[in-house]
Amino acid sequence: MAENTIDILIVDDQLGVRRLLFEALADEGYLVKMAGGGVEALNILSHTLPSLVLLDIKMPGMTGFETLQEIRKRYGQLPVVMMTAYGDMDIIAETKKLGVEHYLIKPFDLDEVRLLVKDLLNGNDNLNYMKDIG
């Protein structure tokens, strides 16, 4: 485990996806928090700001896009990676306007997720393999 633990927040309505990402990232030494939706995520963010948020686009109730809008209003350019199983290019275009540059397409390869997270947290933004999907 690193001397300065890095926090990551995973926001997804699917428990299986949250657990999978939790295990993959916790094994890398990150302190991982999980939320099952946008309201829960914003509650967590009101107490602690992580270094990175992995945010699902399609969620019941408060969508990932709505959650992202609130994150931008409250926390500025907190790094966010959007996750989606859908190729909804309209929503992706809107998230890009809000400063999102990286996307994870479900189902994702856990090695690619680990590499993306590591590179983003190390300030390496030359991540062409998952930067643009549309």
Side-chain angles (χ1 to χ4, degrees):
M1 179 115 27
E3 188 175 299
N4 295 321
T5 304
I6 297 173
D7 291 26
I8 298 173
L9 175 60
I10 298 166
V11 186
D12 196 300
D13 60 308
Q14 296 178 23
L15 179 60
V17 171
R18 291 195 311 268
R19 284 185 176 165
L20 183 69
L21 289 170
F22 176 90
E23 290 176 11
L25 296 172
D27 286 349
E28 296 293 313
Y30 301 115
L31 177 61
V32 182
K33 295 180 178 154
M34 298 184 293
V39 173
E40 185 180 357
L42 293 172
N43 184 43
I44 291 169
L45 291 171
S46 72
H47 300 296
T48 181
L49 277 183
S51 300
L52 180 65
V53 177
L54 301 180
L55 177 61
D56 190 24
I57 289 177
K58 298 277 187 178
M59 296 186 294
M62 184 177 218
T63 68
F65 180 69
E66 293 165 338
T67 305
L68 176 63
Q69 288 177 309
E70 284 300 311
I71 289 171
R72 290 294 178 249
K73 283 181 201 170
R74 299 178 191 187
Y75 309 106
Q77 291 301 311
L78 176 66
V80 175
V81 173
M82 300 302 291
M83 302 183 294
T84 184
Y86 307 96
D88 193 333
M89 303 318 276
D90 292 337
I91 293 175
I92 289 169
E94 291 300 313
T95 62
K96 286 182 180 187
K97 290 178 187 175
L98 291 172
V100 174
E101 296 182 9
H102 301 283
Y103 299 84
L104 292 171
I105 307 302
K106 298 176 187 177
F108 34 72
D109 179 291
L110 287 178
D111 289 332
E112 288 182 358
V113 173
R114 288 183 193 102
L115 182 59
L116 173 66
V117 167
K118 180 180 176 187
D119 284 349
L120 284 173
L121 293 173
N122 288 330
N124 178 5
D125 201 20
N126 294 325
L127 305 171
N128 296 324
Y129 60 93
M130 280 199 258
K131 189 162 185 172
D132 285 317
I133 61 170

